Amino acid sequence: MSRKINNEFVNQNTTHVEIPLVFQRYMDNLDEPCGIKDKSSIFVYANKAYHDLLNLPKGYNVAGRLDSELPATTSEYASMFQAHDRLVENTGKRRSSLEIHPFGRDQKLRAYFFDKTPFPDSSGKTVGTFFHGRKAEHLSLRFYTKGGKAESLLLTLPSNIFSEIEWMIIFYLRSHLCRKEIALKLNRSEGYIKNLIAMIYDKAGVTNTRMLIDFIRENGWHRYVPEQLLTHHHRILP
C-alpha cells in the first residue's frame, strides 16, 4: 500500500513520487528531521521534526516547494542543497553533509549531519532523494565556522576524478599547508606527496596550487571536508 502525494502540493513539472505507507508512518514518528524530494529538488514530504528544525510557521507545508522558497535561513543555501541532491542521484550512493545554521524554534547556531540517499520507486528506479538529519553532538562550532556564520559542508567525495588520498591532499593544499606539513599529516614521505601533487595537477589540467584551488571552486567542490578530520580541531575554509 502506498500514499499518493496530494497534487495540490506538487509542482506540475515534477516526477510523480509515491511513498509506501509504512515508510510514511516511520518518518511521521521519527524525532529526527527527514523527508523526500523529487529529482527537481522539490519537496514531496518532510516530517514535523524537519519543520521544527527550520522554524517554519505552524501549519506550513514544504511539499511542492524548493529550498529557496522556504521562509527559513537555509533558503540562501538552496543551490548547494540541490547540487548535493544531484550528486546523490548521479552516483546512486549515500552522500553526507555537515550543516551549520540557526536551527530549532530558538534559532541558535547548531550543527547537523545530513545523509542523503537515492529514493526509488517500486521498480527500483531513482525518482528522488531521501534526506535524514542527526545532531552533531560533539562538534565545537568555533572550529567549523568562520565568524559564527552558517556553513554547508560536503563530507563524502564529490567526484571520482581524484582518489581519497588525493582529495585529502587537496584539502590540505587549500588549507595552505606545504608538502612537508602534508607529509607529516599523512605519515608519508615528502617525495611521495610531491609525486601525488604532480598527478593531481595533471588530472586537473593545472600547473600550480592557485590554479588547482580555482579549479576546485569552479566545479563546486570547495565545500568538501574529509569526514575523518571532524574529530580533530581543523578550521573549515570559507
Side-chain angles (χ1 to χ4, degrees):
M1 186 175 182
S2 62
R3 172 184 178 271
K4 292 187 178 181
I5 303 303
N6 189 330
N7 288 332
E8 178 185 356
F9 297 113
V10 180
N11 186 297
Q12 293 179 354
N13 295 321
T14 66
T15 302
H16 183 68
V17 178
E18 294 188 354
I19 305 176
L21 182 59
V22 64
F23 192 55
Q24 168 75 34
R25 288 176 175 169
Y26 164 76
M27 292 188 292
D28 285 342
N29 294 323
L30 196 64
D31 60 2
E32 294 178 324
C34 68
I36 295 168
K37 293 180 182 179
D38 70 8
K39 295 185 74 173
S40 296
S41 290
I42 293 175
F43 285 94
V44 177
Y45 166 87
N47 67 358
K48 182 180 181 300
Y50 186 76
H51 285 74
D52 289 341
L53 185 73
L54 267 57
N55 192 33
L56 296 174
K58 185 176 181 180
Y60 189 89
N61 194 332
V62 301
R65 308 175 195 272
L66 293 164
D67 285 288
S68 59
E69 299 172 328
L70 303 185
T73 57
T74 54
S75 62
E76 63 183 285
Y77 295 84
S79 61
M80 296 182 183
F81 300 156
Q82 290 173 16
H84 191 177
D85 297 339
R86 301 294 84 75
L87 184 63
V88 170
E89 293 161 3
N90 293 335
T91 61
K93 298 179 180 178
R94 176 186 67 84
R95 292 291 188 248
S96 302
S97 67
L98 175 62
E99 303 295 335
I100 303 174
H101 304 279
F103 281 137
R105 293 301 181 187
D106 56 2
Q107 288 292 276
K108 288 185 178 179
L109 199 66
R110 294 184 173 93
Y112 273 75
F113 291 115
F114 266 85
D115 299 320
K116 291 187 176 181
T117 55
F119 185 75
D121 61 14
S122 58
S123 68
K125 178 183 177 182
T126 296
V127 293
T129 58
F130 166 68
F131 61 87
H132 176 207
R134 63 192 191 282
K135 194 172 182 179
E137 297 284 359
H138 304 297
L139 292 187
S140 175
L141 295 187
R142 66 190 181 91
F143 291 109
Y144 299 96
T145 61
K146 183 178 181 180
K149 296 181 180 179
E151 295 278 1
S152 179
L153 308 170
L154 192 64
L155 304 182
T156 43
L157 300 182
S159 170
N160 292 326
I161 185 175
F162 302 114
S163 67
E164 187 171 347
I165 191 170
E166 287 171 342
W167 276 113
M168 185 77 79
I169 290 171
I170 290 170
F171 176 82
Y172 285 133
L173 287 173
R174 293 184 62 242
S175 300
H176 307 292
L177 270 65
C178 65
R179 289 200 304 261
K180 183 176 181 179
E181 291 171 320
I182 295 173
L184 288 172
K185 290 282 186 183
L186 299 179
N187 195 28
R188 302 294 179 94
S189 71
E190 188 175 345
Y192 178 80
I193 298 301
K194 180 181 179 180
N195 290 336
L196 278 186
I197 291 175
M199 291 175 61
I200 290 170
Y201 286 173
D202 185 61
K203 289 181 180 181
V206 301
T207 57
N208 57 58
T209 299
R210 181 68 262 172
M211 292 175 66
L212 175 66
I213 291 173
D214 290 341
F215 172 80
I216 294 299
R217 181 170 288 277
E218 287 168 5
N219 283 279
W221 299 334
H222 57 287
R223 296 189 300 117
Y224 170 66
V225 179
E227 191 167 2
Q228 55 267 46
L229 297 185
L230 292 181
T231 58
H232 301 288
H233 292 169
H234 289 265
R235 188 185 181 102
I236 300 307
L237 294 172

